[in-house]
Amino acid sequence: MKSKTKFYFAPMEGVAGYIYRNIYHEYFGHIDKFFAPFISTSPNGIKKMKEFKDILPENNENVCLIPQLLSNNADDFILAAKQIKDVGYNEINLNVGCPSGTVTSKGKGAGMLRDIERLDNFLYKVFESCHGTGIKLSIKTRIGFSSPDEFDNIIEIYNRYQMHELIVHPRTREDYYKNDINLNAFRTAVKKSKNTLCYNGNIFDINDYKRITEEFDEIKSVMIGRGALRNPSIVENIIEDISKPDIKKIFDFHDKIYNEYKKCMSGERNLLFKMKEIWLYMVHSMENPDKKAKKIKKAKNIYEYESVINEFKGEYV
Ligand SMILES: Cc1cc2nc3c(=O)[nH]c(=O)nc-3n(C[C@H](O)[C@H](O)[C@H](O)COP(=O)(O)O)c2cc1C
């Protein structure tokens, strides 16, 4: 079945790095763009090799990847953008959404929304410098720092720039990931934005997708984050109009991820920690998620972990 929109996989730092992303693509497909977790900029360019490794083309051969930058300084941004362009990318996303206190206190992520004059100056410099370089800029934004009332002015700033796409997660920084998404604010975006919009937030199942795409008929793309971590077959479900997660495929996907991490992660504790983090979300695709979550949490080593997962698999054969 042809879907109404394109599907973007949200950037999710700490969870959806290149190993997860590649295996996701191999098992579930249907993602038009994967957004990479943010890379921080610095006056000396991209500092952390681990962050850069995540976006290297040789680690992302089969997926369409959009690198994302977290910055509060236009010169640093431009330097990092050039580095990214030099390895072969032509679209870069700016993070104006990260709610973490250590990020916002430096005026980065959603912290950029606290001073929109400064945001405007940042964007002016960045768009000027990228003009004619072949770099397409997109922005992923929240709707305000403390209040949704800020959004009108924010949209006005964004309207001064011709960006490739504006991805709106309709929550304020204060909302973090809690509280309802603010559809009124998204309606404002649809009414006032001069830029092409992408919707992001709380698409956890096929009904959420239908609700959003039916109300916002003009939206050509949606970005899904936690919904895809919870039920990795969500996009397949939407396209095929099926409401149940493909559990067999989810376990196969799990096994592949587990084996890949086993090969490349140092130390069983790290491996266990990583898998537990993935299950925080994925447990919601299964029956009795709370009971399962407790069992996974209790696993003290990888032997206990493997035994718990085998027990879960046993429920579905
Ligand atoms: C664990 C985690 C890590 C995230 N990391 C990033 C990130 O690196 N960059 C970003 O723009 N958003 C990040 N986000 C926000 C998501 O991309 C997305 O905007 C948010 O979860 C709302 O979408 P959802 O309801 O579909 O999950 C993160 C969210 C989570 C839960």
mmCIF file of all heavy atoms in Angstrom, residues 115-131:
data_model
loop_
_atom_site.group_PDB
_atom_site.id
_atom_site.type_symbol
_atom_site.label_atom_id
_atom_site.label_comp_id
_atom_site.label_asym_id
_atom_site.label_seq_id
_atom_site.Cartn_x
_atom_site.Cartn_y
_atom_site.Cartn_z
ATOM 1 N N ASP A 115 16.525 32.854 23.636
ATOM 2 C CA ASP A 115 16.942 34.172 23.170
ATOM 3 C C ASP A 115 16.823 34.170 21.638
ATOM 4 O O ASP A 115 17.774 33.821 20.930
ATOM 5 C CB ASP A 115 18.397 34.409 23.627
ATOM 6 C CG ASP A 115 18.903 35.777 23.231
ATOM 7 O OD1 ASP A 115 18.229 36.464 22.437
ATOM 8 O OD2 ASP A 115 19.987 36.156 23.709
ATOM 9 N N ILE A 116 15.639 34.555 21.155
ATOM 10 C CA ILE A 116 15.418 34.342 19.715
ATOM 11 C C ILE A 116 16.139 35.368 18.841
ATOM 12 O O ILE A 116 16.349 35.130 17.659
ATOM 13 C CB ILE A 116 13.914 34.214 19.346
ATOM 14 C CG1 ILE A 116 13.122 35.423 19.778
ATOM 15 C CG2 ILE A 116 13.318 32.941 19.887
ATOM 16 C CD1 ILE A 116 11.714 35.409 19.186
ATOM 17 N N GLU A 117 16.553 36.474 19.452
ATOM 18 C CA GLU A 117 17.356 37.423 18.675
ATOM 19 C C GLU A 117 18.714 36.773 18.362
ATOM 20 O O GLU A 117 19.228 36.854 17.246
ATOM 21 C CB GLU A 117 17.550 38.687 19.493
ATOM 22 C CG GLU A 117 17.768 39.909 18.628
ATOM 23 C CD GLU A 117 17.783 41.168 19.479
ATOM 24 O OE1 GLU A 117 16.792 41.399 20.218
ATOM 25 O OE2 GLU A 117 18.795 41.866 19.432
ATOM 26 N N ARG A 118 19.235 36.111 19.381
ATOM 27 C CA ARG A 118 20.509 35.411 19.191
ATOM 28 C C ARG A 118 20.353 34.265 18.186
ATOM 29 O O ARG A 118 21.225 34.034 17.334
ATOM 30 C CB ARG A 118 20.970 34.864 20.558
ATOM 31 C CG ARG A 118 22.374 34.433 20.535
ATOM 32 C CD ARG A 118 22.989 34.209 21.888
ATOM 33 N NE ARG A 118 24.249 33.539 21.650
ATOM 34 C CZ ARG A 118 24.771 32.640 22.436
ATOM 35 N NH1 ARG A 118 24.189 32.314 23.559
ATOM 36 N NH2 ARG A 118 25.925 32.067 22.120
ATOM 37 N N LEU A 119 19.221 33.583 18.276
ATOM 38 C CA LEU A 119 18.936 32.499 17.321
ATOM 39 C C LEU A 119 18.919 33.062 15.897
ATOM 40 O O LEU A 119 19.505 32.482 14.974
ATOM 41 C CB LEU A 119 17.584 31.847 17.663
ATOM 42 C CG LEU A 119 17.028 30.840 16.652
ATOM 43 C CD1 LEU A 119 17.889 29.570 16.601
ATOM 44 C CD2 LEU A 119 15.587 30.441 16.988
ATOM 45 N N ASP A 120 18.279 34.215 15.743
ATOM 46 C CA ASP A 120 18.175 34.849 14.437
ATOM 47 C C ASP A 120 19.578 35.188 13.902
ATOM 48 O O ASP A 120 19.897 34.918 12.736
ATOM 49 C CB ASP A 120 17.311 36.114 14.574
ATOM 50 C CG ASP A 120 16.921 36.694 13.227
ATOM 51 O OD1 ASP A 120 16.994 35.969 12.227
ATOM 52 O OD2 ASP A 120 16.552 37.884 13.180
ATOM 53 N N ASN A 121 20.420 35.756 14.770
ATOM 54 C CA ASN A 121 21.785 36.106 14.334
ATOM 55 C C ASN A 121 22.568 34.862 13.932
ATOM 56 O O ASN A 121 23.306 34.852 12.944
ATOM 57 C CB ASN A 121 22.548 36.814 15.468
ATOM 58 C CG ASN A 121 21.990 38.205 15.684
ATOM 59 O OD1 ASN A 121 21.428 38.806 14.776
ATOM 60 N ND2 ASN A 121 22.124 38.717 16.910
ATOM 61 N N PHE A 122 22.395 33.808 14.726
ATOM 62 C CA PHE A 122 23.061 32.533 14.431
ATOM 63 C C PHE A 122 22.619 32.045 13.046
ATOM 64 O O PHE A 122 23.442 31.718 12.190
ATOM 65 C CB PHE A 122 22.676 31.511 15.529
ATOM 66 C CG PHE A 122 23.167 30.120 15.286
ATOM 67 C CD1 PHE A 122 24.356 29.671 15.872
ATOM 68 C CD2 PHE A 122 22.458 29.227 14.485
ATOM 69 C CE1 PHE A 122 24.812 28.370 15.650
ATOM 70 C CE2 PHE A 122 22.913 27.939 14.259
ATOM 71 C CZ PHE A 122 24.088 27.511 14.849
ATOM 72 N N LEU A 123 21.298 32.038 12.833
ATOM 73 C CA LEU A 123 20.782 31.513 11.565
ATOM 74 C C LEU A 123 21.224 32.378 10.393
ATOM 75 O O LEU A 123 21.566 31.870 9.320
ATOM 76 C CB LEU A 123 19.247 31.415 11.609
ATOM 77 C CG LEU A 123 18.684 30.382 12.605
ATOM 78 C CD1 LEU A 123 17.152 30.407 12.591
ATOM 79 C CD2 LEU A 123 19.171 28.973 12.300
ATOM 80 N N TYR A 124 21.241 33.678 10.608
ATOM 81 C CA TYR A 124 21.647 34.586 9.536
ATOM 82 C C TYR A 124 23.051 34.231 9.037
ATOM 83 O O TYR A 124 23.290 34.038 7.852
ATOM 84 C CB TYR A 124 21.590 36.041 10.030
ATOM 85 C CG TYR A 124 21.916 37.021 8.931
ATOM 86 C CD1 TYR A 124 20.938 37.395 8.008
ATOM 87 C CD2 TYR A 124 23.211 37.518 8.782
ATOM 88 C CE1 TYR A 124 21.238 38.259 6.964
ATOM 89 C CE2 TYR A 124 23.517 38.383 7.731
ATOM 90 C CZ TYR A 124 22.532 38.756 6.838
ATOM 91 O OH TYR A 124 22.836 39.593 5.802
ATOM 92 N N LYS A 125 23.967 34.093 10.006
ATOM 93 C CA LYS A 125 25.361 33.783 9.651
ATOM 94 C C LYS A 125 25.474 32.417 8.970
ATOM 95 O O LYS A 125 26.159 32.255 7.960
ATOM 96 C CB LYS A 125 26.211 33.729 10.930
ATOM 97 C CG LYS A 125 26.908 35.012 11.284
ATOM 98 C CD LYS A 125 27.796 34.758 12.470
ATOM 99 C CE LYS A 125 29.032 35.603 12.482
ATOM 100 N NZ LYS A 125 29.866 35.361 13.649
ATOM 101 N N VAL A 126 24.782 31.456 9.543
ATOM 102 C CA VAL A 126 24.886 30.095 9.035
ATOM 103 C C VAL A 126 24.296 29.991 7.626
ATOM 104 O O VAL A 126 24.910 29.412 6.716
ATOM 105 C CB VAL A 126 24.186 29.117 10.029
ATOM 106 C CG1 VAL A 126 23.898 27.792 9.380
ATOM 107 C CG2 VAL A 126 25.058 28.917 11.273
ATOM 108 N N PHE A 127 23.113 30.576 7.425
ATOM 109 C CA PHE A 127 22.496 30.487 6.098
ATOM 110 C C PHE A 127 23.312 31.255 5.056
ATOM 111 O O PHE A 127 23.463 30.805 3.924
ATOM 112 C CB PHE A 127 21.029 30.960 6.136
ATOM 113 C CG PHE A 127 20.086 29.854 6.557
ATOM 114 C CD1 PHE A 127 19.839 29.593 7.894
ATOM 115 C CD2 PHE A 127 19.467 29.041 5.605
ATOM 116 C CE1 PHE A 127 18.979 28.566 8.288
ATOM 117 C CE2 PHE A 127 18.616 28.003 5.996
ATOM 118 C CZ PHE A 127 18.371 27.774 7.340
ATOM 119 N N GLU A 128 23.873 32.414 5.466
ATOM 120 C CA GLU A 128 24.740 33.174 4.554
ATOM 121 C C GLU A 128 25.933 32.329 4.115
ATOM 122 O O GLU A 128 26.256 32.249 2.943
ATOM 123 C CB GLU A 128 25.281 34.412 5.289
ATOM 124 C CG GLU A 128 24.345 35.601 5.316
ATOM 125 C CD GLU A 128 24.459 36.409 4.037
ATOM 126 O OE1 GLU A 128 25.557 36.925 3.746
ATOM 127 O OE2 GLU A 128 23.429 36.478 3.338
ATOM 128 N N SER A 129 26.577 31.693 5.094
ATOM 129 C CA SER A 129 27.793 30.936 4.793
ATOM 130 C C SER A 129 27.521 29.690 3.975
ATOM 131 O O SER A 129 28.373 29.244 3.215
ATOM 132 C CB SER A 129 28.491 30.504 6.080
ATOM 133 O OG SER A 129 28.874 31.626 6.781
ATOM 134 N N CYS A 130 26.366 29.092 4.197
ATOM 135 C CA CYS A 130 26.088 27.838 3.474
ATOM 136 C C CYS A 130 25.542 28.102 2.073
ATOM 137 O O CYS A 130 25.533 27.204 1.230
ATOM 138 C CB CYS A 130 25.122 26.961 4.270
ATOM 139 S SG CYS A 130 25.906 26.288 5.750
ATOM 140 N N HIS A 131 25.104 29.348 1.849
ATOM 141 C CA HIS A 131 24.531 29.683 0.540
ATOM 142 C C HIS A 131 25.547 29.399 -0.575
ATOM 143 O O HIS A 131 26.691 29.821 -0.501
ATOM 144 C CB HIS A 131 24.123 31.169 0.532
ATOM 145 C CG HIS A 131 23.378 31.545 -0.700
ATOM 146 N ND1 HIS A 131 22.083 31.158 -0.926
ATOM 147 C CD2 HIS A 131 23.765 32.246 -1.795
ATOM 148 C CE1 HIS A 131 21.695 31.602 -2.093
ATOM 149 N NE2 HIS A 131 22.690 32.270 -2.657
#
